[in-house]
Amino acid sequence: MTLVVRARRVLLPDGGRAAAVHTADGRITAVTGFDDAPAGAVTLADDEVLLPGLVDSHVHVNEPGRTEWEGFATATRAAAAGGVTTVVDMPLNSIPPTTSVEALHVKRRAAEGQVAVDVAFWGGVVPGNLDQLRPLHDAGVVGFKCFLLDSGVPEFPPLDDADLRAALTELAGVDALLIAHAEDADVIAAAPPPAGARYPAFLASRPPAAEETAIGRLVAAARDTGGRAHVVHLADADALPLLRRARVEGVRVTVETCPHYLTFAAEEVPDGDTAFKCCPPIRESRHREALWAALADGDVDLVVSDHSPCTPELKRLDVGDFGLAWGGIASLQVALPAVWTGARARGLDLSQVARWMSAAPARLAGLPQKGAIAVGRDADLVVFAPEERWRVGELLHRNPVTPYAGRELTGVVRRTWLRGEETDGTPRGRLLGRGGR
């Protein structure tokens, strides 16, 4: 099967220019001049840009076990509609969590024949499964996720410092990555408990110091063990100096943030609107602006969705109580336009967005065939209209609750190809192992 797509602007690793992208058997075979294309080539409209397919390395699919929250079929259809051609599934909130080789097999069997885009898998680290880490690595997980405080589900307990250091030591032996939810339980225990409809009260229950303390613990453990560590969903910009210093010192640590921390601000969250609840929380606008600056400067490496939906009942919109509601934001389908809307407003370029949302997460997850329009890579391509405005309405993920509902965004995904085939919701995605195998 062959496909040639040409556009006046194609986002290539060295910048955007007019080009024709030639593919065969699912791979990119050549990138030539715009006019060097056969008669049957797909020619994009003047208002369209050709992007590499996005890689979202932080998605909670939740199947099996909590498929009523989300599932492989619905999550990957939403991904394809949003220009995401590869997702990496988190080891929770599925039952069983992906903390053993057998659990990985259970998850892969659940996903088989359902996925509309390619799917890879994180393994999980919990107390007592140290002996499962190398077997999971050998079985193909792209890395390992841990929590440094209660995860919210009993089957995925957190690591204390001793467990954290043991895990990093074990993973350093195979140069595997540990990604961590970095909030400190003791700091949160000392804060006022969350209760009621006032968003400021919820925000006070998870102070910035919780992130800074936990990130400090993670950095110290990575420094002492030589392990590779990654901070997921950074919301607290005050932790950035700590991370900068660690990297200058040679600590192998990277960091991501999410569209909701770049889009919303605590001052704007309506009381009682628990669709906005996530952990760590959406913080004040100064954190949002500092995270944007850190992305532009290279101090934050990537942007991924942390798509973590649940049923409407668990969001407790009926009472609007932030203490009772499940914490997680559904955003997989809107992540690209949400980030582009914010980037565009700040004078940042679409090439930067593609780097944060495609190349960098592909690198983090160790998927060398993803993340760029380049010869030899998978022919994962997205047609994006960066100036078209639209209002968020019905989305394809399983449950409709999202803080983006009704919000006007700029940038529309018009077509997506996965390995040279246009996506239409048909389950033609592949289940990937480490290294994309």
Side-chain angles (χ1 to χ4, degrees):
M1 182 175 179
T2 61
L3 169 74
V4 179
V5 184
R6 64 179 185 168
R8 292 295 176 187
R9 189 177 180 204
V10 179
L11 295 191
L12 302 169
D14 58 352
R17 65 175 185 269
V21 179
H22 302 249
T23 80
D25 299 322
R27 294 290 180 94
I28 297 169
T29 56
V31 179
T32 65
F34 179 85
D35 293 325
D36 185 9
V42 175
T43 302
L44 270 55
D46 289 343
D47 69 334
E48 296 175 335
V49 180
L50 190 66
L51 308 180
L54 303 190
V55 177
D56 193 334
S57 57
H58 196 147
V59 177
H60 294 270
V61 177
N62 305 328
E63 185 176 3
R66 292 189 175 94
T67 311
E68 70 276 13
W69 294 16
E70 188 63 281
F72 284 105
T74 49
T76 58
R77 282 200 298 268
V84 177
T85 51
T86 306
V87 303
V88 189
D89 173 64
M90 283 289 162
L92 73 164
N93 303 301
S94 57
I95 302 173
T98 315
T99 54
S100 69
V101 172
E102 178 52 37
L104 175 63
H105 293 330
V106 170
K107 182 165 282 192
R108 290 178 66 93
R109 286 194 295 269
E112 194 72 48
Q114 290 205 75
V115 295
V117 300
D118 288 353
V119 178
F121 301 91
W122 295 106
V125 184
V126 295
N129 83 324
L130 197 65
D131 63 341
Q132 287 293 310
L133 303 189
R134 291 203 184 200
L136 275 165
H137 176 80
D138 293 342
V141 299
V142 301
F144 295 85
K145 170 74 177 287
C146 73
F147 271 70
L148 301 184
L149 83 171
D150 181 17
S151 70
V153 292
E155 65 275 1
F156 204 93
L159 303 184
D160 62 19
D161 275 353
D163 289 328
L164 173 63
R165 288 167 180 265
L168 278 166
T169 299
E170 179 74 8
L171 296 178
V174 289
D175 199 34
L177 177 67
L178 181 70
I179 69 174
H181 181 126
E183 290 182 282
D184 185 82
D186 291 338
V187 172
I188 290 175
R198 293 189 65 251
Y199 187 76
F202 170 64
L203 187 62
S205 76
R206 300 185 90 99
E211 290 188 73
E212 294 154 36
T213 301
I215 290 170
R217 290 167 49 204
L218 180 67
V219 165
R223 179 189 295 115
D224 293 346
T225 62
R228 294 169 57 211
H230 176 77
V231 177
V232 298
H233 52 49
L234 182 71
D236 170 33
D238 293 339
L240 287 166
L242 186 162
L243 288 161
R244 289 190 197 103
R245 288 194 300 271
R247 297 213 266 204
V248 168
E249 294 167 4
V251 180
R252 297 196 296 169
V253 60
T254 50
V255 58
E256 70 188 40
T257 193
C258 303
H260 39 280
Y261 302 130
L262 299 170
T263 301
F264 306 114
E267 300 93 328
E268 304 161 5
V269 176
D271 286 347
D273 195 344
T274 52
F276 286 86
K277 181 179 177 179
C278 58
C279 300
I282 294 164
R283 301 198 184 279
E284 297 87 349
S285 58
R286 72 172 185 88
H287 291 276
R288 177 183 64 192
E289 298 311 314
L291 289 170
W292 274 113
L295 275 166
D297 292 341
D299 290 324
V300 173
D301 301 278
L302 57 141
V303 182
V304 287
S305 70
D306 188 13
H307 179 70
S308 186
C310 65
T311 61
E313 293 77 16
L314 288 174
K315 270 296 183 185
R316 297 312 305 266
L317 293 167
D318 55 337
V319 294
D321 189 321
F322 283 97
L324 298 176
W326 173 259
I329 287 181
S331 60
L332 182 56
Q333 189 174 336
V334 301
L336 172 59
V339 174
W340 169 236
T341 299
R344 179 177 177 271
R346 291 164 177 82
L348 300 169
D349 189 76
L350 191 55
S351 294
Q352 293 169 283
V353 174
R355 183 167 69 250
W356 302 327
M357 302 188 75
S358 184
R363 188 181 311 115
L364 180 84
L367 301 173
Q369 81 281 28
K370 303 293 186 182
I373 298 175
V375 173
R377 302 289 184 107
D378 284 354
D380 297 348
L381 307 170
V382 175
V383 178
F384 189 62
E387 301 304 318
E388 183 177 343
R389 295 181 179 181
W390 63 291
R391 195 168 297 279
V392 177
E394 184 177 353
L395 300 173
L396 297 178
H397 55 78
R398 175 151 288 153
N399 292 296
V401 179
T402 176
Y404 292 95
R407 191 175 185 90
E408 185 176 271
L409 299 176
T410 301
V412 171
V413 173
R414 291 182 176 167
R415 301 177 76 175
T416 302
W417 288 274
L418 175 68
R419 292 189 310 278
E421 290 189 78
E422 189 162 7
T423 61
D424 58 2
T426 301
R428 60 169 63 100
R430 296 177 181 171
L431 306 184
L432 306 178
R434 193 180 67 262
R437 300 186 295 274

